[in-house]
Amino acid sequence: MTSTHTSICRSCGTYCPITVTLDGNRVVSVSGNKASPLYHGYCCSRGQAIPEQMMSPFRLLTSMKRAADG
C-alpha cells in the first residue's frame, strides 16, 4: 500500500520542500513538492537519491566503536 507525504529535504541547508512516496515503511521515491511557490517542484539529485542512500547495504546503522588497535 503506497502513500504520499510532504516533508523537507535535509540533505543540505536549503531544506527544499519534497514529496515522499512510501510503500509501507519503505521510501520508494522523492520528488520536489509542486505546491511550493518558491521552488516550483524542484528537487536536486542529492534529494532524489535519498531512497538509494537509505537502502544502501553500506549505510551505518549503529555507531562505530574504536578498537584497541586504533
Side-chain angles (χ1 to χ4, degrees), residues 6 11 13-14 20-21 27 31 34 40 42-43 47-50 53 55 58 69:
T6 57
S11 292
T14 307
V20 181
T21 304
V27 176
S31 61
K34 295 184 190 311
H40 303 288
Y42 175 78
C43 182
Q48 293 174 9
I50 290 173
Q53 293 171 356
M55 299 306 294
F58 302 110
D69 61 354

Side-chain angles (χ1 to χ4, degrees), residues 43-65:
C43 182
C44 71
S45 58
R46 187 185 311 175
Q48 293 174 9
I50 290 173
E52 290 87 22
Q53 293 171 356
M54 291 182 72
M55 299 306 294
S56 172
F58 302 110
R59 179 179 175 207
L60 294 177
L61 300 176
T62 60
S63 299
M64 296 181 69
K65 185 176 179 182

